[in-house]
């Protein structure tokens, strides 16, 4: 089961798998239907009491300040509660549960504020099941266990959907940042510029190097200006990545000019014993561009 | 700021188990030293050292932690940063401090570089048991 899959919401087989994983069978579906009368009779009371409980907490009140909103939420809470014993645990059920997690994420309500509702349901339903005249002790136990299973499943769906929503936001941001911070572009016939913003390590270096090499090949450039004005510090690992990148560019037959080395970065490089002697370096992008244009005109004349 | 959040939680340490923890270490120390009043040059030197030492923990020992203490007395500020791990340890510390020595086929310039960038560097290591690296930096302030 792959929950980081962006298709999570639409892949129905996972829900069937999930039910099996929680040992939720046809028998459980039947059992839940037997509880439906109890649910229907007590749903108003359960939901009212749940909200009385929740609204005691300052953290919850922040999100539920509007009486109209509370009224609407109570209504959908009742529906939610009734569906648990309605006997249909197919796709619609699944999607509805998934949406709970996603909606809470969108409203910025953390799981700890709504997970309590599930244990509240269990607490309220337990005596109602055990004290019901229709069920003997053994039946009551079986029905309660079934109810507990559906509670677990519902919780799992809400949490998974919540985590999934968080993950996709984080992943999207990470990708955006990576893409944003390395906008490599051709600025002159034969010259590409690659400004580096942030630190070059790990995943980003790989991506940066690939993008740069691709651009060089695509634009048939012979000079690449790598501007490091936006790099806060360079340690030996970053320096190694830069040197690797420069060597790769040279293998393509092109030259690299490093621009925007601030004095403090130059000093730290000296302290680290890193020697950029064989690399053309210029303090500013303008100065680097001038050198690049000179190199081009020498070649073409 | 991350450092304020951590301080509010009473924490003066960060665990190092991934590449992104190295970023967090740098960030905390950058914020902290800037708040303390270190100048840009010193901040860059300290943060570069943190980057080296946090990466050493991650690369050579896989898991470890960074702790810090800041000091402020009239006219003087200081920071002490400690990296500790239960990794393989360093067999020969003098050799590890030689420029170019590396057991990881990398540059081998980290430890000798940190020695130059910081005011004090102390390495305690038990072969096979782990490593503790302590660095300090001081600055005069008005
Ligand atoms: N935390 C550590 N645990 C074990 N060995 C370490 C640790 N830090 C440094 N070393 C050893 O010291 C050597 C030199 O470190 P360094 O100068 O940073 O160079 P590099 O990290 O490029 O190898 C490393 O190759 C490694 O053998
Ligand atoms: Mg190192």
């Amino acid at each position: 089961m792959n929950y980081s899959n962006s298709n999570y919401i639409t892949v129905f087989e996972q829900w069937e798998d999930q039910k099996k994983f929680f040992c939720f069978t046809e028998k459980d579906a039947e059992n839940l239907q037997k509880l439906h009368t109890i649910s229907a009779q007590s749903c108003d009371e359960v939901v009212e009491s749940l909200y009385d409980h929740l609204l005691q907490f300052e953290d919850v009140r922040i999100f539920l300040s509007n009486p109209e909103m509370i009224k609407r939420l109570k209504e959908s809470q009742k529906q939610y509660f009734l569906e648990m014993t309605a006997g249909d645990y197919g796709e619609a059920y699944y999607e509805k549960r998934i949406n709970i997690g996603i909606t809470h994420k969108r409203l910025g309500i953390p799981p700890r504020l709504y997970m309590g509702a599930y244990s509240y349901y269990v607490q309220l339903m337990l005596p109602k099941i055990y004290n019901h005249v229709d069920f003997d002790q053994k039946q009551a136990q079986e029905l309660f266990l079934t109810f507990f299973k559906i509670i677990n499943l519902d919780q799992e769906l809400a949490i998974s959907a919540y985590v999934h929503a968080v993950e996709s936001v984080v992943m999207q941001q990470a990708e955006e940042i990576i893409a944003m911070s390395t906008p490599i572009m051709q600025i002159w016939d034969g010259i590409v510029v690659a400004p580096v913003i942030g630190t070059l390590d790990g995943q980003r270096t790989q991506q940066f190097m690939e993008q740069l090499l691709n651009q060089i090949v695509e634009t048939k450039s012979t000079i690449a200006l790598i501007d490091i004005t936006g790099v806060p510090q360079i340690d030996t690992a970053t320096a190694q990545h830069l040197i690797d990148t420069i060597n790769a560019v040279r293998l393509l037959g092109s030259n690299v000019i490093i621009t925007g080395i601030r004095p403090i970065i130059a000093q730290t490089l000296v302290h680290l014993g890193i020697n950029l002697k064989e690399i053309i370096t210029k303090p500013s992008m303008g100065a680097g561009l001038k050198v690049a244009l000179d190199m081009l005109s020498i070649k073409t004349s | 700021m991350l450092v304020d959040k951590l301080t509010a939680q009473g924490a003066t340490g960060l665990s190092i188990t991934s590449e992104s923890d190295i970023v967090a270490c740098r960030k905390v120390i950058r914020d902290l030293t800037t708040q303390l009043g270190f100048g840009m040059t010193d901040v860059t030197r300290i943060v570069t050292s943190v980057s080296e030492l946090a990466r050493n923990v991650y690369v050579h020992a896989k898991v470890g932690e960074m702790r810090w203490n800041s000091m402020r007395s009239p006219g003087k500020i200081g920071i002490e940063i400690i990296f500790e791990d239960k990794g393989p340890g360093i067999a020969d510390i003098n050799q590890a401090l030689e420029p170019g020595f590396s057991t990881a086929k990398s540059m081998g310039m980290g430890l000798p570089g940190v020695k130059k960038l910081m005011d004090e560097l102390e390495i305690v290591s038990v072969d096979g048991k782990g490593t503790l690296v302590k660095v300090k930096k001081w600055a005069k302030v008005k």
Side-chain angles (χ1 to χ4, degrees), chain A residues 201 233 235-236 240 267 273, chain B residues 30 45 47 51-52 107 109:
Chain A
D201 45 19
Q233 75 278 317
D235 63 1
T236 60
Q240 187 62 61
Q267 250 185 51
Chain B
R30 178 176 291 280
R45 286 179 181 151
V47 172
S51 198
E52 291 297 340
M107 269 191 185
M109 305 298 264

Side-chain angles (χ1 to χ4, degrees), chain A residues 28-97:
Chain A
D28 288 305
E30 283 166 30
N31 278 345
L32 283 168
Q33 269 180 298
K34 288 184 196 156
L35 293 174
H36 196 60
T37 336
I38 299 183
S39 304
Q41 277 166 0
S42 47
C43 89
D44 284 331
E45 176 207 329
V46 166
V47 170
E48 285 304 325
S49 139
L50 171 67
Y51 272 80
D52 286 347
H53 170 69
L54 290 178
L55 288 169
Q56 288 172 40
F57 299 91
E58 176 70 36
D59 284 7
V60 178
R61 283 201 299 269
I62 294 173
F63 291 101
L64 305 181
S65 50
N66 175 344
E68 267 308 306
M69 183 183 176
I70 297 182
K71 220 172 122 198
R72 255 184 296 127
L73 283 173
K74 280 183 181 170
E75 228 15 80
S76 45
Q77 191 74 246
K78 276 177 205 165
Q79 289 309 316
Y80 184 91
F81 184 67
L82 287 173
E83 280 160 14
M84 289 174 82
T85 53
D88 183 0
Y89 305 98
E91 195 163 2
Y93 188 86
Y94 166 80
E95 298 226 312
K96 199 144 184 192
R97 266 61 193 157

Side-chain angles (χ1 to χ4, degrees), chain B residues 123-141:
Chain B
I123 304 175
V124 184
S125 184
V126 180
D127 204 11
K129 287 249 168 70
T131 303
L132 188 146
V133 179
K134 191 196 279 184
V135 287
K136 286 185 194 168
K137 188 102 188 158
W138 306 96
K140 289 205 178 80
V141 286

Side-chain angles (χ1 to χ4, degrees), chain A residues 8 22-23 40 43 46 56 59 62 82-83 98-99 105 113 121 125-128 136 138 152-153 164 184 240 283 293:
Chain A
Y8 178 53
F22 278 69
C23 305
C43 89
V46 166
Q56 288 172 40
D59 284 7
I62 294 173
L82 287 173
E83 280 160 14
I98 286 291
N99 277 329
K105 168 69 190 66
L113 293 186
Y121 278 166
M125 284 299 277
L126 178 79
K128 290 191 196 300
D136 62 29
K138 195 163 159 280
N152 277 327
L153 264 169
H164 174 80
I184 299 170
Q240 187 62 61
L293 289 169

